[in-house]
Amino acid sequence: MERTREDEVRDRMADIAGDDPGPAERALIGRLIRSFLDKTPRGVDQLAVLLRGGDPDMLREHAHAMKGSASNIGAASLARVFAEIEQSAREGVVPDPDVMLGRVACEQALVHPVLEKIAAENA
């Protein structure tokens, strides 16, 4: 059975807060997810600038940071897209901006509702 994006996020939150989180842990989950949702649009905007600017070193560093943020909250599919960008940049190749930004947008559209739902449950 294939794991869903929701499964991945919930498993990661259980890693952070335990299987039966109390009020403090639930608040932490909500804050972590809200922080990711608040910061990611700016991060993706910067990613777009770097993809279009063609600087592999800066792109690699930024994609690495974005990958870490996505991984930290369990958005594994989104993290994989950032990892691909990072790897390309590490190899000195700036991937096609439209293709990569399209993939990022698609993953965001799939995972953000899951994150919103889990954040609301932990408000």
Side-chain angles (χ1 to χ4, degrees):
M1 184 165 143
E2 188 173 329
R3 294 177 40 73
T4 66
R5 285 164 183 82
E6 186 169 345
D7 293 336
E8 292 172 347
V9 173
R10 287 190 185 282
D11 285 351
R12 179 63 183 131
M13 293 302 106
D15 288 345
I16 293 170
D19 290 330
D20 188 21
E25 292 85 6
R26 291 173 58 90
L28 172 65
I29 289 169
R31 283 193 313 272
L32 287 172
I33 292 173
R34 286 274 168 232
S35 176
F36 178 81
L37 290 170
D38 290 344
K39 292 178 182 178
T40 299
R42 287 185 305 278
V44 172
D45 288 346
Q46 180 63 24
L47 184 70
V49 168
L50 294 170
L51 280 164
R52 291 188 188 344
D55 181 337
D57 291 331
M58 289 178 65
L59 177 61
R60 178 188 47 76
E61 288 178 25
H62 188 70
H64 177 78
M66 299 283 300
K67 175 187 76 177
S69 294
S71 293
N72 285 340
I73 56 137
S77 297
L78 182 58
R80 283 191 290 275
V81 177
F82 294 134
E84 287 180 39
I85 296 169
E86 177 188 10
Q87 183 58 40
S88 290
R90 179 173 278 113
E91 295 168 0
V93 176
V94 175
D96 182 286
D98 295 328
V99 170
M100 297 314 292
L101 293 169
R103 290 184 57 206
V104 168
C106 181
E107 268 310 314
Q108 285 181 297
L110 294 169
V111 76
H112 279 207
V114 169
L115 294 171
E116 292 283 355
K117 174 183 173 184
I118 295 171
E121 292 171 2
N122 290 282

